[in-house]
Amino acid sequence: MKFKTQGQSQIGWVAIGGLLFFLVSQWFRSSSGYDLNFSGYPVITLLGGFAATAACIGIYNQSWLFQTQKLTLRRVLMTTLFLMLGLFELVHIVSFAEEVPNRAMMESDFSLMMSTMGSLVCSVGLLFIYSVHEKQVALPRKFLLFSATLGAFLILYICSIQEWSFLPEMLDGHLLGKVFTRLHWVAGLLYVTGAIVLYVQWKKTKNADLPPILNGILCFLLGQGYFVTASVVDDLNLLLGMLSNCLGYFFIQKGLYASVVDTPFLQQQAAEAKMNYIAHHDDVTGLPNRRRLSQRLQLMLDDAVVEEKLVGVLVLNINRFKTINDSLGQQAANRVLRQVGQRLNHSSLPGEEVFGLGRDEFALTMTDFYSTDTALRRTRSILQLFEKPVMVDGSEYHLTLGIGMAIFPYDGESPQEIIQNADTALHSAKEQGIELNRYAHAMQMKAQERLQLENDLRKALARGQFYLVYQPQVNLQSGLIVGMEALVRWHHPQRGSVSPAEFIPLAEESGLIVPLGEWVLREACAQNKLWQEAGYRKLCVSVNLSMRQFRHSHLLDSINSILRETGLEPAWLELEITESMTFDKDRAFEQLHKIKEIGVHISIDDFGTGYSSLHYLKDLPIDRLKIDRSFVNEIMEDSNNAAIVSTITSMAHHLQLKVTAEGVENEEQMMFLRNQHCHEAQGYFFGKPIEAADFEQRFLRDIDKPAG
């Protein structure tokens, strides 16, 4: 809008100023008579003519030499047009100069012919150039371009110098002929048409080069006005017309400069600025990114050494953000990230800067403090910022953050080391289940162990280091075993047994959970089929699905393939999902319906610890709810837990779902659950998870004997 206003203002000033100057000059001319042979007249005419010639050649060079890889049709035509106009202007002024030694101080018939032809060619050329469709063209051969231009000029030049009787004469003695006036009238009308065409184009395209070109055409039109009103060879209007043309050439050159040099340069600058912004800012939050953090942190550390101050770096992570992303979708998750970034940025104090590290991580630097206690107090106040929920699509979501802190010079000497150590402190905080943690050297050792464990995990599946254990599931009314849950274990060749709490999160993060989950499913189905073929009573085996497996597009194909491969009937397989997998209810419903259609049972594991909506829980195609062990453990000591278990059990009965309690460890818990009409239970009271051979020996051979 600003450019449009400036362009209109410039065009308006040129039009109004030119008209006023024309009126004033005509008043002066009429009041002074025609005797204008002052001593400077021929000098000004010569200088103006050579200036016009130089301007045309300059326009030719500018159109031809710059940005040749982006040569357009208009530029090719401009090159040809102004090379020809430059030749006309040169011949015109040279032929005028030939009269000066004879002190004629007037235009000759031939010089006027050259000037008039130049005006006609210019008006026709500009109208044609800005009427054709603009497009990119291949770089033409210079020889052909020069040849065509010079050929056209020579034809017109020869016609002008021939004294053929049918050729019109520009002069009638000392008076300008009617042909001269009429030809300039025609040129003027062509300029008016060209100005209209150009103005319409400018209104549509807003190209920066068009207003100067339009101003140039207005100056050419003003020149035609002077030529039309001239009457004798030494008329002041001839000089003013030539000077108007010179001004027009100036505007044309300015417009071409904007198109060929200035605009591409500004576009390149804008592109470089955009690339620099992209390179140093996070594309989701718009905050400075990790690269900018390293650069800024280096400056902060240098200043801190001189001023003997501390520099703190906080790395912040949104807890359970993956669940938010999986349940709400990427767009909504991005809006959450932007709100978190804005909240951190708006609440930052002097000496603090906020950075986006990608995904769900942020960083905050602190410089204006002199003790670690001050930094810790400030960090705790940052945690309090998120006691207020964020709004996404009209719904409130409560977020919690994990923060890792590293302080220069205690926790590192370089920007990379400080950032890495703050990140290590963050991971340590998450493992410990706390919100804030400051870096300690022991964390680095643990991080290295974690990395080594991840590398070993990638090799464990191929080397056969995983095995399954089975835990019985018991009917609380009859006391009989009705099912079993298959659980994966890892025997590390050096470390021995690795806790699932250690390697399952690693497998989730690395994506190894998908092939590992398929292996568990295949092994459990194969083992259950072997027991059935051995003549034992048929039991249902439960297998946990990870979030990655559940969202995998080939999950159904994988289940069908494993069932066919092992020969296990679908009715003897139960898949356990978590509540978080049902956040994206449309996608979850579709996936669950497909699984149910093949006859596999579905249960929701750890029920009560997630955020399932009871509104659509009733519509989920599931068979069972499994009460999380955290409610069962203190069921006899905590009345709230007892109330929760009772409520879940009652709700399951009303929804015609089976309910299983996990983590039953004593008879009191078992009796309470039986009194609440809980269908089934599992836990150490009935049996620990044990390997297949032990499970067969202990439970399957005496399967009709009540457990516990």
Side-chain angles (χ1 to χ4, degrees):
M1 183 63 69
K2 181 179 179 181
F3 166 75
K4 179 179 177 181
T5 303
Q6 289 178 342
Q8 287 179 334
S9 176
Q10 189 182 64
I11 294 170
W13 278 111
V14 170
I16 295 173
L19 180 61
L20 290 176
F21 187 80
F22 178 80
L23 295 175
V24 170
S25 62
Q26 296 313 294
W27 172 80
F28 175 77
R29 172 176 169 270
S30 61
S31 62
S32 302
Y34 300 132
D35 187 13
L36 295 171
N37 292 330
F38 56 88
S39 59
Y41 184 89
V43 175
I44 297 176
T45 302
L46 288 172
L47 290 176
F50 284 119
T53 303
C56 290
I57 300 302
I59 295 172
Y60 160 75
N61 288 330
Q62 192 167 273
S63 299
W64 176 252
L65 297 178
F66 291 95
Q67 298 284 333
T68 55
Q69 73 277 11
K70 297 182 180 180
L71 201 62
T72 63
L73 178 60
R74 284 181 181 173
R75 284 182 55 193
V76 172
L77 295 176
M78 277 288 204
T79 300
T80 305
L81 174 63
F82 280 92
L83 177 60
M84 186 180 297
L85 290 178
L87 295 174
F88 275 119
E89 292 288 357
L90 180 63
V91 174
H92 160 246
I93 203 60
V94 169
S95 61
F96 174 86
E98 289 178 350
E99 304 292 338
V100 175
N102 299 326
R103 302 189 64 79
M105 292 186 298
M106 65 181 66
E107 298 275 7
S108 67
D109 188 84
F110 179 72
S111 66
L112 288 174
M113 178 67 74
M114 291 291 100
S115 174
T116 303
M117 282 193 174
S119 295
L120 287 171
V121 169
C122 183
S123 60
V124 172
L126 288 175
L127 178 60
F128 176 75
I129 288 171
Y130 286 96
S131 297
V132 298
H133 181 67
E134 176 70 313
K135 61 181 180 180
Q136 294 287 125
V137 295
L139 186 65
R141 295 182 179 178
K142 292 184 178 182
F143 176 75
L144 293 178
L145 184 63
F146 280 116
S147 299
T149 305
L150 292 175
F153 171 76
L154 288 175
I155 292 173
L156 294 174
Y157 179 77
I158 292 172
C159 291
S160 299
I161 63 175
Q162 296 299 317
E163 295 181 357
W164 293 329
S165 58
F166 63 85
L167 290 175
E169 294 184 355
M170 299 291 106
L171 291 176
D172 183 11
H174 282 203
L175 299 177
L176 296 173
K178 293 181 179 180
V179 173
F180 175 84
T181 303
R182 290 171 181 171
L183 290 177
H184 283 286
W185 266 109
V186 172
L189 293 175
L190 291 172
Y191 280 130
V192 170
T193 306
I196 295 173
V197 170
L198 208 63
Y199 184 77
V200 171
Q201 286 191 17
W202 177 63
K203 294 288 286 185
K204 290 181 178 179
T205 63
K206 304 298 185 295
N207 287 343
D209 61 319
L210 294 184
I213 301 291
L214 183 54
N215 287 332
I217 292 178
L218 292 178
C219 290
F220 292 147
L221 179 61
L222 178 64
Q224 302 314 300
Y226 284 119
F227 291 141
V228 167
T229 54
S231 56
V232 294
V233 293
D234 56 353
D235 201 312
L236 177 64
N237 280 352
L238 293 179
L239 176 60
L240 294 177
M242 183 181 63
L243 295 178
S244 295
N245 284 348
C246 289
L247 187 60
Y249 293 140
F250 165 76
F251 280 116
I252 296 289
Q253 193 167 22
K254 182 180 179 182
L256 288 176
Y257 179 85
S259 174
V260 178
V261 179
D262 197 32
T263 299
F265 176 73
L266 293 177
Q267 290 175 344
Q268 182 178 357
Q269 277 191 323
E272 291 176 352
K274 183 177 181 180
M275 291 300 296
N276 183 66
Y277 181 87
I278 293 173
H280 292 90
H281 288 78
D282 178 62
D283 57 348
V284 175
T285 62
L287 294 171
N289 61 10
R290 187 180 293 269
R291 183 180 292 106
R292 180 66 75 188
L293 170 61
S294 297
Q295 296 172 351
R296 290 288 301 131
L297 193 54
Q298 183 63 62
L299 297 176
M300 294 176 189
L301 299 187
D302 293 341
D303 293 341
V305 171
V306 176
E307 301 175 11
E308 297 183 352
K309 293 196 304 184
L310 304 178
V311 175
V313 173
L314 307 180
V315 174
L316 308 92
N317 176 267
I318 303 174
N319 294 325
R320 299 172 60 86
F321 182 75
K322 186 177 182 300
T323 302
I324 297 174
N325 188 76
D326 291 338
S327 60
L328 302 181
Q330 184 176 354
Q331 295 301 321
N334 287 345
R335 288 195 288 274
V336 171
L337 291 176
R338 283 191 283 270
Q339 289 191 53
V340 172
Q342 290 170 2
R343 193 172 293 187
L344 289 172
N345 207 22
H346 292 163
S347 62
S348 61
L349 302 177
E352 296 180 352
E353 296 182 38
V354 180
F355 302 83
L357 303 186
R359 297 182 64 185
D360 58 337
E361 283 196 348
F362 299 84
L364 185 143
T365 58
M366 300 185 294
T367 56
D368 289 347
F369 71 100
Y370 293 90
S371 70
T372 56
D373 290 340
T374 303
L376 288 170
R377 284 195 299 271
R378 170 57 182 153
T379 304
R380 292 190 183 96
S381 70
I382 292 174
L383 289 171
Q384 295 173 1
L385 293 174
F386 294 91
E387 293 178 354
K388 180 181 178 182
V390 298
M391 294 290 296
V392 180
D393 297 333
S395 300
E396 292 185 349
Y397 295 90
H398 290 269
L399 303 179
T400 59
L401 299 184
I403 302 181
M405 173 190 290
I407 298 178
F408 173 84
Y410 309 127
D411 302 329
E413 298 180 353
S414 67
Q416 292 73 24
E417 190 177 1
I418 292 291
I419 297 170
Q420 179 182 344
N421 290 343
D423 195 57
T424 300
L426 170 64
H427 284 291
S428 178
K430 284 185 168 294
E431 290 176 0
Q432 298 178 52
I434 59 178
E435 292 181 319
L436 170 61
N437 206 6
R438 185 188 163 190
Y439 173 77
H441 181 68
M443 296 177 186
Q444 190 66 34
M445 300 296 294
K446 191 170 183 180
Q448 292 174 357
E449 291 178 6
R450 180 184 175 89
L451 180 60
Q452 183 61 49
L453 189 64
E454 182 178 338
N455 291 334
D456 293 343
L457 182 64
R458 295 181 180 276
K459 305 170 186 175
L461 190 59
R463 295 177 177 178
Q465 296 173 5
F466 291 108
Y467 63 97
L468 295 186
V469 294
Y470 299 86
Q471 186 173 35
Q473 296 170 335
V474 178
N475 184 293
L476 290 177
Q477 300 303 319
S478 66
L480 298 178
I481 295 174
V482 292
M484 54 199 165
E485 182 176 4
L487 301 165
V488 65
R489 295 293 184 263
W490 179 17
H491 182 76
H492 193 281
Q494 284 80 39
R495 299 180 54 173
S497 294
V498 181
S499 169
E502 284 191 73
F503 72 82
I504 292 297
L506 278 178
E508 284 276 8
E509 292 176 13
S510 62
L512 293 172
I513 196 67
V514 174
L516 178 59
E518 290 181 359
W519 179 85
V520 170
L521 183 60
R522 182 177 289 105
E523 287 293 308
C525 290
Q527 182 62 66
N528 199 17
K529 183 63 177 177
L530 286 175
W531 281 330
Q532 290 181 3
E533 291 175 345
Y536 297 119
R537 183 160 61 86
K538 293 182 178 181
L539 299 176
C540 189
V541 62
S542 298
V543 179
N544 289 284
L545 281 183
S546 70
M547 175 72 81
R548 283 179 180 264
Q549 280 180 282
F550 185 70
R551 296 180 65 87
H552 203 283
S553 58
H554 301 299
L555 174 62
L556 194 66
D557 294 335
S558 177
I559 296 172
N560 277 319
S561 175
I562 290 172
L563 290 174
R564 286 194 302 267
E565 178 185 332
T566 60
L568 183 69
E569 296 178 17
W572 304 112
L573 173 64
E574 181 172 278
L575 298 178
E576 298 186 6
I577 65 172
T578 60
E579 290 181 85
S580 59
M581 298 183 193
T582 65
F583 279 175
D584 186 353
K585 60 181 181 180
D586 294 333
R587 186 171 180 178
F589 283 9
E590 180 183 2
Q591 191 81 299
L592 292 173
H593 277 295
K594 289 179 180 179
I595 295 173
K596 286 289 292 181
E597 286 174 0
I598 65 176
V600 174
H601 300 291
I602 301 171
S603 65
I604 294 185
D605 194 17
D606 301 332
F607 187 79
T609 61
Y611 305 97
S612 290
S613 170
L614 299 180
H615 175 69
Y616 67 84
L617 178 63
K618 62 183 177 65
D619 298 322
L620 281 174
I622 59 175
D623 303 286
R624 182 188 308 274
L625 298 180
K626 297 189 72 174
I627 303 174
D628 186 66
R629 68 182 64 251
S630 62
F631 299 116
V632 177
N633 285 344
E634 299 180 1
I635 202 173
M636 306 308 297
E637 293 81 16
D638 190 335
S639 60
N640 290 329
N641 281 354
I644 291 173
V645 171
S646 177
T647 301
I648 293 175
T649 305
S650 175
M651 179 185 66
H653 281 286
H654 285 294
L655 295 175
Q656 297 182 346
L657 300 174
K658 291 184 178 180
V659 58
T660 299
E662 297 180 299
V664 178
E665 297 182 354
N666 54 58
E667 187 174 0
E668 288 182 339
Q669 294 172 349
M670 187 269 292
M671 293 301 296
F672 176 86
L673 292 168
R674 179 186 292 175
N675 293 334
Q676 297 300 319
H677 303 290
C678 181
H679 296 108
E680 298 164 10
Q682 67 184 82
Y684 283 9
F685 179 70
F686 305 104
K688 297 180 179 180
I690 53 179
E691 295 187 48
D694 296 332
F695 188 87
E696 179 180 347
Q697 177 70 31
R698 180 174 176 184
F699 297 108
L700 297 185
R701 292 183 179 178
D702 298 319
I703 196 167
D704 292 328
K705 181 180 179 181

